[in-house]
Amino acid sequence: MEVQKHSVHTLVFRSLKRTHDMFVADNGKPVPLDEESHKRKMAIKLRNEYGPVLHMPTSKENLKEKGPQNATDSYVHKQYPANQGQEVEYFVAGTHPYPPGPGVALTADTKIQRMPSESAAQSLAVALPSQTKTDVNRTAPSGSEYRHPGASDRPQPTAMNSIVMETGNTKNSALMAKKAPTMPKPQWHPPWKLYRVISGHLGWVRCIAVEPGNQWFVTGSADRTIKIWDLASGKLKLSLTGHISTVRGVIVSTRSPYLFSCGEDKQVKCWDLEYNKVIRHYHGHLSAVYGLDLHPTIDVLVTCSRDSTARIWDVRTKASVHTLSGHTNAVATVRCQAAEPQIITGSHDTTIRLWDLVAGKTRVTLTNHKKSVRAVVLHPRHYTFASGSPDNIKQWKFPDGSFIQNLSGHNAIINTLTVNSDGVLVSGADNGTMHLWDWRTGYNFQRVHAAVQPGSLDSESGIFACAFDQSESRLLTAEADKTIKVYREDDTATEETHPVSWKPEIIKRKRF
């Protein structure tokens, strides 16, 4: 046989010709055969010679032309009693039954797929004019929907929704466009105004912290001193000396009468405020220490340094519990919280890392920023935080650092961030500007650029740190003109005198 050289149609034609010749006599007249033996011989011949191609799908056109199938054909097309009187055709492709729909067992109905007739398809097209193309292979008698094995996964349009509305006995298809996400109306916040300027330092004021009792606050400066000020009057109470370079971080413990400080001299000190003396040193950093924070529930101190690491210290034993390695440039800021992740760092390598305190390893690395991350702040009530960088301010959700939104517009090197429980986020920049934002919506409701202290250069207009007091009624900023500025809310302001200039603009939530 020349099976490889010829198509199936050629072989069938030749076989039928040979079969015809078998029943023709020498004189050219057909030999009469009974009908039953003719059918039997044809069936045997088809099964023996064309068995390998009998499994091929039967086309819809052949279905219309053919009448009842041969009794020996294993692919039986029949109508079930429930469908009598309807124009319904059944179509089977392949030797395997179709998979059932979700939760539907294989039955006699689900093994065979129903295909509507031409009249049924035309009536369906009239009833649903918006559906220009209908996949007829998706409807099963059981009512479950499943996709034809060979059909492609076509994505549904996202900008439009097809809504079918039933009015009486007719169905109309309506296309309604989805609205683009818009910024919700921000909460109104009263503006903040400057009411006090405190001077006394002889160098840039680099850090600031308010004590838990809200009676005094502490600042660290480039003049190598730590000063304690009365919060109500703004008068100097005490100066502490001991650092031999710029003091970059200060924090007051809520669990003990201790003050912790760090500086560019690589030193981390613990001060006993009852004796105003250093009682502990924490040695280990190889370069300047840029920031520190205390864990809220355990006696653990965390510091970050220019040596690209953060270190976890046991406050009482001075032991270095963990060295958090992974950043590739100076670590500029660190924050602690009681919930996981318990430590968050921001670095000049443009990344933010969320750390596992117990294991001392990175949980998540956030790489969305394109420039140095110098500030991180945790919201006091929500399970969220924000990070500041020259490209923009970004908000994130714990525990995995899911991106929330960008706060764009403060186009400067952002050195510090702070937030209060009312949702007022404050960002302070290297050029002396301070922006106030509504935390929930990211709306920038106020911009402040205070004048420098008389006698200072305009270039000394810079904000290095800021903090709310414990009552959140006062905002303190540490600045490059060697002063501390104190702000409070404007009591005379109302929503009528200072309205929110807000429009429902489309949110631009770029991830990068």
Side-chain angles (χ1 to χ4, degrees):
M1 292 180 64
E2 299 178 351
V3 177
Q4 289 107 1
K5 296 183 180 179
H6 302 285
S7 66
V8 173
H9 297 288
T10 306
L11 291 174
V12 172
F13 175 77
R14 290 182 178 179
S15 174
L16 293 175
K17 187 176 184 305
R18 286 197 302 269
T19 304
H20 177 265
D21 294 341
M22 288 170 55
F23 305 115
V24 176
D26 294 337
N27 58 3
K29 294 182 179 180
V31 178
L33 289 175
D34 62 332
E35 186 179 352
E36 200 63 38
S37 65
H38 175 70
K39 287 183 178 180
R40 186 166 55 253
K41 287 184 179 182
M42 288 295 294
I44 293 172
K45 186 170 185 64
L46 286 173
R47 184 170 62 251
N48 290 342
E49 295 190 11
Y50 305 107
V53 297
L54 286 177
H55 70 282
M56 294 179 64
T58 308
S59 65
K60 186 176 177 183
E61 289 76 9
N62 292 341
L63 271 173
K64 295 178 183 176
E65 294 172 2
K66 291 182 181 180
Q69 293 291 324
N70 195 309
T72 59
D73 192 353
S74 60
Y75 301 89
V76 181
H77 300 263
K78 61 180 181 178
Q79 288 188 343
Y80 291 91
N83 296 321
Q84 287 180 358
Q86 299 179 8
E87 288 190 57
V88 179
E89 296 173 356
Y90 293 96
F91 174 55
V92 175
T95 58
H96 299 284
Y98 283 92
V104 179
L106 280 172
T107 64
D109 285 345
T110 55
K111 286 180 180 178
I112 300 178
Q113 190 142 4
R114 176 185 297 177
M115 173 178 283
S117 62
E118 279 191 0
S119 59
Q122 289 175 1
S123 62
L124 183 65
V126 171
L128 299 175
S130 66
Q131 296 180 354
T132 57
K133 193 169 183 179
T134 305
D135 187 359
V136 296
N137 292 333
R138 294 190 59 179
T139 305
S142 64
S144 303
E145 289 194 4
Y146 49 85
R147 189 175 293 277
H148 189 283
S152 60
D153 239 355
R154 295 178 184 173
Q156 298 298 322
T158 55
M160 308 290 284
N161 276 347
S162 179
I163 302 174
V164 178
M165 299 176 294
E166 295 190 10
T167 55
N169 296 326
T170 61
K171 292 183 179 180
N172 294 324
S173 170
L175 293 177
M176 297 183 65
K178 278 186 179 178
K179 290 184 178 179
T182 58
M183 179 191 292
K185 186 174 182 179
Q187 178 186 349
W188 182 82
H189 300 283
W192 292 70
K193 62 180 182 180
L194 177 68
Y195 83 100
R196 178 174 290 156
V197 178
I198 302 171
S199 59
H201 276 295
L202 303 178
W204 290 352
V205 187
R206 297 303 304 250
C207 50
I208 193 166
V210 181
E211 65 98 10
N214 212 39
Q215 299 298 312
W216 48 269
F217 67 95
V218 58
T219 56
S221 169
D223 63 9
R224 301 171 293 178
T225 66
I226 298 169
K227 292 184 183 292
I228 296 176
W229 313 81
D230 183 73
L231 185 58
S233 64
K235 292 182 179 179
L236 178 66
K237 297 180 68 174
L238 182 67
S239 291
L240 300 173
T241 58
H243 281 282
I244 58 174
S245 189
T246 302
V247 181
R248 295 293 296 266
V250 289
I251 190 168
V252 185
S253 174
T254 59
R255 299 166 56 85
S256 56
Y258 294 156
L259 164 69
F260 296 87
S261 65
C262 64
E264 294 181 2
D265 52 9
K266 312 176 193 176
Q267 296 182 7
V268 181
K269 297 177 183 288
C270 175
W271 304 77
D272 189 328
L273 296 176
E274 293 179 352
Y275 300 96
N276 299 330
K277 290 182 180 179
V278 177
I279 60 171
R280 297 188 186 102
H281 287 91
Y282 302 89
H283 297 286
H285 279 297
L286 306 177
S287 190
V289 185
Y290 283 164
L292 77 174
D293 199 11
L294 284 166
H295 195 283
T297 57
I298 57 177
D299 288 327
V300 163
L301 173 70
V302 185
T303 58
C304 60
S305 169
R306 192 168 59 192
D307 62 11
S308 305
T309 67
R311 285 181 179 262
I312 303 172
W313 310 89
D314 186 316
V315 169
R316 291 168 292 182
T317 65
K318 302 180 288 184
S320 178
V321 179
H322 286 301
T323 300
L324 306 180
S325 302
H327 284 294
T328 58
N329 207 330
V331 185
T333 182
V334 63
R335 288 291 177 267
C336 292
Q337 64 176 358
E340 292 291 344
Q342 298 184 54
I343 300 174
I344 302 95
T345 56
S347 170
H348 289 294
D349 65 6
T350 75
T351 67
I352 302 162
R353 286 179 180 254
L354 314 182
W355 300 86
D356 185 331
L357 175 61
V358 177
K361 295 181 180 179
T362 305
R363 287 168 53 103
V364 180
T365 303
L366 307 175
T367 60
N368 299 40
H369 280 292
K370 293 294 179 285
K371 295 188 178 180
S372 301
V373 181
R374 298 169 185 256
V376 168
V377 65
L378 313 183
H379 195 283
R381 293 183 179 175
H382 303 161
Y383 198 37
T384 56
F385 71 102
S387 57
S389 175
D391 51 9
N392 50 40
I393 300 167
K394 294 181 185 290
Q395 287 181 338
W396 316 84
K397 185 186 296 183
F398 288 123
D400 299 322
S402 304
F403 177 81
I404 300 175
Q405 64 181 347
N406 282 328
L407 280 65
S408 301
H410 203 170
N411 301 317
I413 297 173
I414 297 174
N415 289 319
T416 178
L417 292 172
T418 189
V419 64
N420 66 11
S421 56
D422 289 335
V424 176
L425 173 66
V426 180
S427 57
D430 230 21
N431 59 2
T433 60
M434 183 171 67
H435 287 199
L436 289 87
W437 314 77
D438 178 55
W439 179 275
R440 183 176 62 91
T441 61
Y443 172 70
N444 181 203
F445 68 89
Q446 187 181 4
R447 300 184 180 188
V448 179
H449 192 175
V452 298
Q453 185 184 26
S456 300
L457 300 174
D458 288 338
S459 60
E460 288 185 308
S461 177
I463 301 174
F464 293 117
C466 63
F468 286 101
D469 72 343
Q470 302 299 332
S471 68
E472 298 182 340
S473 62
R474 285 168 287 198
L475 173 65
L476 299 92
T477 61
E479 308 211 2
D481 62 356
K482 308 170 189 174
T483 66
I484 302 108
K485 294 184 173 67
V486 187
Y487 296 81
R488 65 182 174 190
E489 291 181 343
D490 187 353
D491 297 332
T492 63
T494 63
E495 292 192 49
E496 287 73 26
T497 60
H498 294 79
V500 175
S501 58
W502 164 83
K503 294 180 181 179
E505 298 175 352
I506 295 175
I507 298 175
K508 298 178 180 178
R509 296 195 174 185
K510 296 187 290 186
R511 283 188 178 273
F512 303 104

